[in-house]
Amino acid sequence: MAVRESIHGQWSTRWAFILAATGSAVGLGNIWKFPYITGENGGGAFVLVYLLCIAVIGIPIMMAEVMLGRRGRQSPINTMETLSIEAGHSTHWKYLGWMGVIGGFLILSYYSVIAGWALAYIRESVSGVFVNSTPDGVKGVFGDLVSKPWKLIGWHTLFMVMTMVVVARGVQGGLEKAVRFLMPALFVILLILVGYASETEYFHKGLEFLFKPDFHALFHVKDANGVEHRSWNAVLTAMGHAFFTLSLGMGAIMVYGSYLPSNTSIMQTSFIIAIADTLVALLAGMAIFPIVFANNLEPGSGPGLIFQTLPLAFGRMDGGILFATLFFILLTFAAWSSSISLIEPAVAWLVENAGMSRIIASVVMGGACWAVGLLTVFSFNIWQDVHLLSGIKIFKDATIFDLLDYLTANIMLPLGGLLIAIFAVWVMSREASMEELDLGNGILYKSWRLLVRYITPVAVIIVFMNVTGVFNWLSSIAWLQALFGGQV
Ligand code: TRP
């Protein structure tokens, strides 16, 4: 087959792609989200499910996504349409591309607000407010930031403008170069933090929390009255996070793959990206939980977790002001190199289909996304008691931000991943995927095909069904109950 070319250009080298995709993968998901959802879902067992999902679902889906992108060489919507025509199937598959565009847009709306917190913390760190601070003092700084809508709007606006500037200039311009040294720098500073944590007497307790599985905690949630309920929700959260942290299910990696030179090994690059991403998350967890336990903080305290723990460590270290400032600068950069990949599919589509220039397309999408971001801004202050779905047990106390996060990370990403898997092995021809992956017809190709053909779809469907209660409903049917001994 003649190889298609992308109108948006191509990565200069294989490393440029690896850096950009790692830049997309490593972000707030690793450093902000992974620790706090691990804290909320009981630790070890949650981490184990997350790691398992990365290995058996994440990496194969990443390969599938890069493969589709490279073959289609367009925005996800047009790529899906082109490839479904090529395979002789319905062009309805383009709606999968649409879901990706909408999902990335929704994620960016709240991502930008949280990245704004990181920006705000650069200033706080420079001011020295964290030096020798107490847990209450640090909590106070965080509370003061999120309780003021105007402050949050200011930082959110700044971050969104930063994102739009890079997207408007094209991916190869500034960021490809910046990521080259920022990612290693982030890694080093995380190592310093882990080094600090390892000297506290709570290091062991932190590691135990992260790596010692407690399956009871995974399958049970406590409600506000302290009553326990059985729930698969934590498993869904772990699976959703595997997609989130690797930037999968939304076409972001697909669009990056569409700029990938043809002679690059998709499997090798996918492994490198997934391993780097997982390491960063685990290091962040190892830095944070010892501090949590040493200061008697609550692991399940929610989205503010890193902002209420790390400053305590910085405040007590030699050179703390410098390290704190550096850390929040690097966190901002990590978020920045992720945010551009959230909006790139939408911008690429506007350029292809509405004939807009990259600049106009970026301004239009950025402006709209900024406006939706206000929902998240207000979720932490004036609307913190607005619980739109309070009638549903698991959403009883959920704010609009919580709902947006749940809708995107727990529903849209796994669903997107499921459909990508189905497309890659059930719709696309075997010849096409063999040609693109270039693994021959040996054990590697066959294992990939097996995972994507059966394991991924079945895993996603089982988890979805458990969460939505379909299994509870089925288990009320007597003969099924007898068959499974009441275990469903
Ligand atoms: N992976 C990024 C993080 O962990 C977030 C992200 C960037 C993302 N692009 C994405 C998530 C596309 C889902 C889909 O911070």
Side-chain angles (χ1 to χ4, degrees):
M1 192 200 82
V3 178
R4 266 181 281 271
E5 275 183 29
S6 168
I7 61 166
H8 309 280
Q10 222 180 59
W11 301 110
S12 43
T13 61
R14 178 175 95 107
W15 274 105
F17 168 75
I18 293 183
L19 283 169
T22 309
S24 163
V26 175
L28 295 173
N30 307 62
I31 297 171
W32 159 74
K33 194 172 182 194
F34 171 72
Y36 96 76
I37 56 177
T38 299
E40 284 180 339
N41 291 291
F46 178 84
V47 175
L48 194 69
V49 176
Y50 154 80
L51 290 176
L52 207 74
C53 289
I54 294 277
V56 292
I57 303 179
I59 294 176
I61 295 288
M62 180 177 279
M63 290 171 63
E65 234 190 282
V66 176
M67 173 185 93
L68 298 182
R70 190 167 74 180
R71 202 161 179 88
R73 293 251 186 249
Q74 298 153 74
S75 72
I77 297 174
N78 293 333
T79 284
M80 292 312 298
E81 191 170 359
T82 307
L83 294 181
S84 50
I85 294 172
E86 185 179 297
H89 274 252
S90 153
T91 54
H92 287 334
W93 280 101
K94 68 170 184 264
Y95 295 110
L96 172 56
W98 270 107
M99 188 173 77
V101 167
I102 296 168
F105 179 90
L106 289 178
I107 294 176
L108 182 60
S109 79
Y110 68 79
Y111 205 86
S112 168
V113 176
I114 312 291
W117 298 357
L119 278 172
Y121 267 58
I122 299 176
R123 204 172 77 179
E124 301 290 357
S125 303
V126 174
S127 78
V129 64
F130 298 132
V131 175
N132 290 324
S133 56
T134 58
D136 281 341
V138 170
K139 243 195 193 128
V141 172
F142 181 72
D144 186 61
L145 171 68
V146 298
S147 65
K148 300 213 172 76
W150 283 113
K151 262 191 173 175
L152 293 185
I153 292 176
W155 294 114
H156 163 53
T157 310
L158 176 59
F159 186 79
M160 195 59 93
V161 169
M162 285 163 54
T163 303
M164 283 9 281
V165 167
V166 176
V167 174
R169 304 179 94 198
V171 177
Q172 285 199 359
L175 222 78
E176 195 180 306
K177 293 195 195 77
V179 176
R180 200 162 295 200
F181 74 94
L182 290 166
M183 285 295 134
L186 180 67
F187 202 75
V188 170
I189 206 156
L190 274 175
L191 283 177
I192 294 176
L193 275 169
V194 175
Y196 170 84
S198 72
E199 282 172 15
T200 67
E201 46 190 313
Y202 287 86
F203 190 55
H204 187 73
K205 183 133 192 256
L207 289 191
E208 202 168 89
F209 181 77
L210 264 181
F211 296 116
K212 196 168 156 202
D214 169 1
F215 286 96
H216 187 84
L218 186 67
F219 288 107
H220 293 83
V221 278
K222 273 205 180 105
D223 66 15
N225 308 321
V227 181
E228 278 194 345
H229 299 279
R230 277 189 66 168
S231 163
W232 268 66
N233 210 31
V235 179
L236 176 62
T237 304
M239 186 172 82
H241 188 64
F243 285 101
F244 187 93
T245 192
L246 294 178
S247 305
L248 299 177
M250 294 281 84
I253 289 291
M254 196 186 291
V255 100
Y256 277 17
S258 74
Y259 312 144
L260 184 68
S262 308
N263 54 1
T264 309
S265 157
I266 290 180
M267 184 165 123
Q268 218 180 28
T269 43
S270 300
F271 265 93
I272 297 176
I273 297 161
I275 290 171
D277 184 79
T278 308
L279 270 179
V280 172
L282 293 179
L283 284 177
M286 286 160 66
I288 287 162
F289 287 108
I291 305 172
V292 169
F293 295 119
N295 292 285
N296 241 330
L297 300 167
E298 177 50 53
S301 61
L305 186 66
I306 66 158
F307 296 96
Q308 298 170 6
T309 48
L310 294 182
L312 287 172
F314 289 126
R316 287 171 210 170
M317 274 177 200
D318 294 332
I321 293 189
L322 177 71
F323 284 129
T325 311
L326 261 178
F327 175 81
F328 287 109
I329 290 177
L330 292 171
L331 182 60
T332 303
F333 271 98
W336 200 5
S337 60
S338 300
S339 64
I340 55 173
S341 75
L342 283 163
I343 200 78
E344 176 67 20
V347 170
W349 179 79
L350 274 185
V351 171
E352 285 165 17
N353 289 49
M356 284 187 194
S357 71
R358 273 194 86 88
I359 297 184
I360 305 284
S362 307
V363 172
V364 169
M365 280 295 163
C369 199
W370 176 87
V372 178
L374 297 179
L375 296 174
T376 295
V377 166
F378 298 141
S379 296
F380 290 95
N381 35 69
I382 53 178
W383 291 347
Q384 62 179 322
D385 295 319
V386 175
H387 306 306
L388 294 181
L389 297 184
S390 57
I392 301 173
K393 209 163 53 193
I394 52 172
F395 297 131
K396 206 167 151 287
D397 303 315
T399 59
I400 300 177
F401 157 72
D402 293 325
L403 294 178
L404 265 177
D405 175 40
Y406 195 94
L407 170 71
T408 51
N410 290 19
I411 299 175
M412 293 176 85
L413 297 183
L415 190 62
L418 171 68
L419 294 172
I420 285 170
I422 292 176
F423 188 88
V425 289
W426 295 92
V427 175
M428 203 165 158
S429 73
R430 193 183 170 104
E431 292 70 44
S433 62
M434 269 176 67
E435 182 183 16
E436 230 27 80
L437 290 178
D438 199 20
L439 294 169
N441 193 17
I443 177 93
L444 289 176
Y445 177 78
K446 286 192 175 134
S447 330
W448 171 80
R449 205 172 165 81
L450 182 84
L451 286 171
V452 176
R453 202 175 176 86
Y454 301 108
I455 308 295
T456 307
V458 170
V460 174
I461 290 169
I462 288 183
V463 178
F464 267 153
M465 289 189 22
N466 271 300
V467 174
T468 51
V470 175
F471 275 18
N472 289 343
W473 174 74
L474 282 178
S475 68
S476 63
I477 302 175
W479 67 267
L480 273 176
Q481 212 163 27
L483 196 65
F484 292 104
Q487 288 306 300
V488 272

